[in-house]
Amino acid sequence: MKKLVYLLIGALLCFSLLGCSNEKAANALKDAIYLDQPVINPANEGKLVIIHGVAKMSKGAQDPDLGLTFDSPSVIREVQVLTAQTRTTSTTTTTKTDDKKNTSSQTTQTKKTTEYVWKDNNTKSDRAPWKKETFTGEAKIGQFTITGNPLNSMFSTKKIAVTRDMASRSGMNYWKQGIATRAFLTNRRIAEHFMQVGSELRAQNEGVSRISYTGREKVANGEYTIAGIQQNGKLVSTKDFTIQCYSGILTKEQMIEKNK
């Protein structure tokens, strides 16, 4: 069983940007152009190049659905919908029917109650037009532009506070329950006087969406080495090579070794 678990973990790691055994990638990297300085050379257009350096944000991520721009190279939009769910509880009562014979009977009563919980929304619908999504901007390593998934590898996570200004710019409502609670954007005003114990709400608020964001720092956490196809000033993936991103300064030989 443990062996199966290890195999599954290994398979999942192979889909990460941090590399796995990939003979095709290793062979491609043998012919890659290793740049000591991240300077664009037109002669390398369409070729696999390897660069290294510290990435800095050059273009903030945008949420096109709500018209918001962030001071962060990558942003995750978290969306939750207040959803009614039925909770069933059973109570069994034992009653003696004959004390002398020591006999008894049991009666089971089932009770259904409705609770309102925040559920993650990962698909769009008429009821919930927003879902969890990741939006990326751009970063620069020297003259090269980096975008997409590598940004999540290079930059540390940071909190993004929802503000009243964000609500105004997006056309949403601002909601914050209590002083220490995280603020959210909501698609309709939450009736505060319907609040119950804890975070539960009455039926009047069912179906409301609440939105929050998590972002990335503007400056990368140290130097990174990236291999990708040079295309119009960017490093990109193609059908033949998926862009690779590793922490630290690696040589071409070390990049090849990580794919063996």
Side-chain angles (χ1 to χ4, degrees):
M1 183 65 184
K2 288 185 177 180
K3 185 177 181 180
L4 177 60
V5 171
Y6 294 148
L7 288 172
L8 289 172
I9 292 173
L12 288 172
L13 288 174
C14 283
F15 288 99
S16 75
L17 284 170
L18 300 181
C20 64
S21 179
N22 187 339
E23 185 178 352
K24 185 177 180 181
N27 289 332
L29 286 166
K30 292 177 182 178
D31 297 324
I33 301 167
Y34 191 92
L35 302 180
D36 292 323
Q37 297 296 326
V39 177
I40 294 173
N41 183 344
N44 296 332
E45 189 71 4
K47 297 179 182 179
L48 178 59
V49 300
I50 302 172
I51 68 170
H52 59 80
V54 178
K56 296 183 179 180
M57 187 190 82
S58 56
K59 181 180 179 182
Q62 296 181 350
D63 181 342
D65 297 326
L66 299 179
L68 295 174
T69 300
F70 299 89
D71 191 23
S72 179
S74 180
V75 165
I76 297 175
R77 180 179 67 196
E78 303 282 354
V79 182
Q80 294 180 314
V81 178
L82 190 67
T83 305
Q85 66 177 24
T86 301
R87 181 181 180 186
T88 302
T89 56
S90 298
T91 304
T92 301
T93 304
T94 302
T95 305
K96 284 190 175 183
T97 56
D98 191 323
D99 291 337
K100 293 182 179 180
K101 295 181 180 180
N102 196 27
T103 58
S104 61
S105 63
Q106 290 185 334
T107 302
T108 301
Q109 291 183 330
T110 301
K111 182 180 179 182
K112 292 185 177 182
T113 57
T114 300
E115 296 180 341
Y116 298 91
V117 296
W118 293 104
K119 286 193 173 183
D120 293 336
N121 192 59
N122 297 316
T123 57
K124 290 183 180 181
S125 65
D126 292 338
R127 182 183 181 220
W130 307 280
K131 67 174 183 177
K132 180 178 180 179
E133 289 192 51
T134 298
F135 306 107
T136 57
E138 295 177 352
K140 288 275 193 179
I141 294 183
Q143 296 180 349
F144 285 87
T145 297
I146 312 297
T147 189
N149 287 333
L151 299 179
N152 294 321
S153 299
M154 296 187 294
F155 294 86
S156 300
T157 302
K158 74 170 185 178
K159 292 182 179 180
I160 294 179
V162 170
T163 64
R164 294 186 183 277
D165 179 64
M166 287 171 61
S168 177
R169 287 186 284 120
S170 64
M172 302 287 281
N173 294 297
Y174 176 86
W175 177 57
K176 185 174 183 180
Q177 180 193 356
I179 297 175
T181 305
R182 190 176 185 182
F184 299 91
L185 300 176
T186 61
N187 57 334
R188 70 172 187 255
R189 291 189 180 279
I190 291 181
E192 293 291 343
H193 60 283
F194 290 122
M195 295 293 293
Q196 292 179 336
V197 176
S199 61
E200 295 183 356
L201 303 174
R202 295 186 186 274
Q204 286 84 349
N205 288 319
E206 183 187 0
V208 67
S209 294
R210 71 179 188 183
I211 297 172
S212 60
Y213 295 92
T214 301
R216 300 277 173 173
E217 300 288 352
K218 292 196 296 183
V219 178
N221 187 19
E223 293 198 82
Y224 281 78
T225 303
I226 303 180
I229 307 299
Q230 178 179 311
Q231 189 176 96
N232 298 323
K234 296 182 178 181
L235 283 189
V236 300
S237 298
T238 66
K239 64 178 182 179
D240 297 318
F241 188 88
T242 300
I243 191 169
Q244 295 191 9
C245 180
Y246 297 91
S247 177
I249 301 176
L250 277 65
T251 64
K252 180 196 285 192
E253 289 70 27
Q254 289 173 321
M255 295 282 282
I256 294 171
E257 190 64 30
K258 282 185 174 291
N259 283 275
K260 288 184 178 180

